[in-house]
């Protein structure tokens, strides 16, 4: 069994995974369907001298998350950091939103986060240390027309974060959320120029965020410098909500 500090990042968060690898973690890059994308992240980390591997698991599948956690524990011994980054959108107005689109988004974003916390925290409780960061969204705080399912999942993540923080604090495990604003990624590239212009008008710092902005907040929360911070929501949004 290898003994090294490990970080599990769900949904193959490229910026987050690379930053954690630079901080010295062996990064387990989780993905569901996009194997090639996860392997690209792993290869980028390895070619810059870091350590990482890709691991398939659908985070909304409870049994699969239990198995993934057991596999990581038997290979590495510990899971020091968990970053819940996996997320999907299925946007529509409430009157047009199907039950399936509501359930799918809640299942991946909220239940997926619950599942990983449930199993990974068991390992962290035994270790008596751990850092958990859940990726929420500004939309979970202020709401957004056309994103009721997504906003509910991201608001739910905030309640889950605070509850887990209270349950796990006695075991030296911190649980925080990062709530990004508008970040330039594949998820937001698809939006029309009109929507992008409207968003920009609402951002006091007058630029869209980068994956590095989010990764830096995550890296801080898992570092020793943040050991007295738990149950918080760090908003990384250029001042979109204050
Ligand atoms: P993205 O490019 O779509 O990445 C999301 C990842 O989640 C995908 O790689 C997807 O991989 C994975 N995923 C989806 N369902 C999964 C499942 N059931 N199990 C495991 N992995 C799964 O989105 P992003 O923009 O990087 O977003 C990352 C996180 O930030 C999300 O939680 C998102 O809600 C949040 N966020 C983003 C923004 C933004 O402006 N971009 C703003 C606020 C919050 P597979 O294809 O392998 O399923």
């Amino acid at each position: 069994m290898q003994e090294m500090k490990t970080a599990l990042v769900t949904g193959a968060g490229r910026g987050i995974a690379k930053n954690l690898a630079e901080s010295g973690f062996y990064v387990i890059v989780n993905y569901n369907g996009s194997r090639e994308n996860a392997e690209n992240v792993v290869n980028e980390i390895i070619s810059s001298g870091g350590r990482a591997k890709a691991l398939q698991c659908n985070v909304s599948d409870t049994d699969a998350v239990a198995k993934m956690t057991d596999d990581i524990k038997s290979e590495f011994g510990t899971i020091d950091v968990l970053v819940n980054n996996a997320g999907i959108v299925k946007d529509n107005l409430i009157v047009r939103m199907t039950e399936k689109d509501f359930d799918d988004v809640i299942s991946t974003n909220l239940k997926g986060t619950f599942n990983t916390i449930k199993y990974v925290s068991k390992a962290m409780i035994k270790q008596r240390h751990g850092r958990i960061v859940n990726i929420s969204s500004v939309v979970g705080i202020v709401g957004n027309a056309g994103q009721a399912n997504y906003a509910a999942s991201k608001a739910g993540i905030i309640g889950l974060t605070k509850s887990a923080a209270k349950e796990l604090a006695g075991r030296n495990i911190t649980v925080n959320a990062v709530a990004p604003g508008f970040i330039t990624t594949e998820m937001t590239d698809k939006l029309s120029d009109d929507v992008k212009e409207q968003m920009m008008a609402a951002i006091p710092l007058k630029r869209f965020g980068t994956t590095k902005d989010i990764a830096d907040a995550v890296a801080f929360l898992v570092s020793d410098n943040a050991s007295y911070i738990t149950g918080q929501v760090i908003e990384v949004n250029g001042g979109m909500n204050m």
Side-chain angles (χ1 to χ4, degrees):
M1 190 190 288
Q2 307 173 44
E3 283 286 348
M4 59 183 81
K5 279 197 150 199
T6 55
L8 168 62
V9 181
T10 70
R14 184 168 163 269
I16 295 169
K18 283 176 70 179
N19 239 356
L20 291 175
E22 277 164 23
S23 306
F25 288 94
Y26 188 112
V27 185
I28 296 131
V29 181
N30 157 261
Y31 65 97
N32 183 24
S34 308
R35 178 176 179 168
E36 202 183 319
N37 177 44
E39 279 173 357
N40 286 341
V41 175
V42 167
N43 289 337
E44 274 182 51
I45 289 173
I46 292 171
S47 59
S48 356
R51 295 166 301 175
K53 74 180 277 186
L55 203 54
Q56 194 282 332
C57 174
N58 175 355
V59 293
S60 68
D61 179 337
T62 306
D63 293 342
V65 172
K67 183 179 180 306
M68 171 174 71
T69 312
D70 282 348
D71 288 349
I72 298 170
K73 276 192 297 188
S74 45
E75 186 171 354
F76 298 98
T78 67
I79 307 178
D80 302 282
V81 166
L82 164 66
V83 183
N84 279 302
N85 166 78
I88 58 169
V89 287
K90 291 199 173 182
D91 297 351
N92 220 328
L93 296 172
I94 293 171
V95 289
R96 290 194 204 126
M97 190 175 284
T98 63
E99 183 181 3
K100 185 174 183 326
D101 286 353
F102 185 83
D103 288 348
D104 284 353
V105 169
I106 297 293
S107 182
T108 296
N109 299 6
L110 183 56
K111 193 174 98 179
T113 302
F114 167 78
N115 282 342
T116 56
I117 292 176
K118 177 177 163 101
Y119 290 102
V120 171
S121 71
K122 281 186 187 164
M124 289 178 170
I125 286 168
K126 280 202 189 125
Q127 296 159 196
R128 292 195 162 268
H129 76 88
R131 291 274 193 274
I132 299 174
V133 181
N134 302 318
I135 307 299
S136 177
S137 169
V138 64
V139 162
I141 300 166
V142 303
N144 198 21
Q147 289 199 305
N149 49 359
Y150 181 76
S153 74
K154 294 298 185 178
I157 284 175
I158 292 174
L160 175 60
T161 298
K162 292 180 181 183
S163 304
K166 287 184 176 175
E167 288 187 21
L168 299 170
R171 304 301 175 97
N172 191 29
I173 300 164
T174 66
V175 189
N176 292 287
V178 169
F182 190 104
I183 309 300
T184 306
T185 64
E186 271 176 35
M187 198 181 255
T188 53
D189 278 350
K190 296 170 198 150
L191 298 171
S192 69
D193 287 346
D194 272 4
V195 173
K196 285 184 188 163
E197 252 174 55
Q198 273 173 32
M199 305 289 275
M200 185 65 91
I203 303 172
L205 284 177
K206 290 290 162 233
R207 69 169 176 87
F208 294 139
T210 64
T211 51
K212 185 177 181 301
D213 291 320
I214 305 307
D216 285 345
V218 173
F220 169 65
L221 287 171
V222 307
S223 75
D224 289 343
N225 294 335
S227 60
Y228 201 53
I229 300 175
T230 196
Q232 303 305 306
V233 182
I234 308 296
E235 295 190 49
V236 184
N237 59 24
M240 240 175 128
N241 176 54
M242 54 174 92

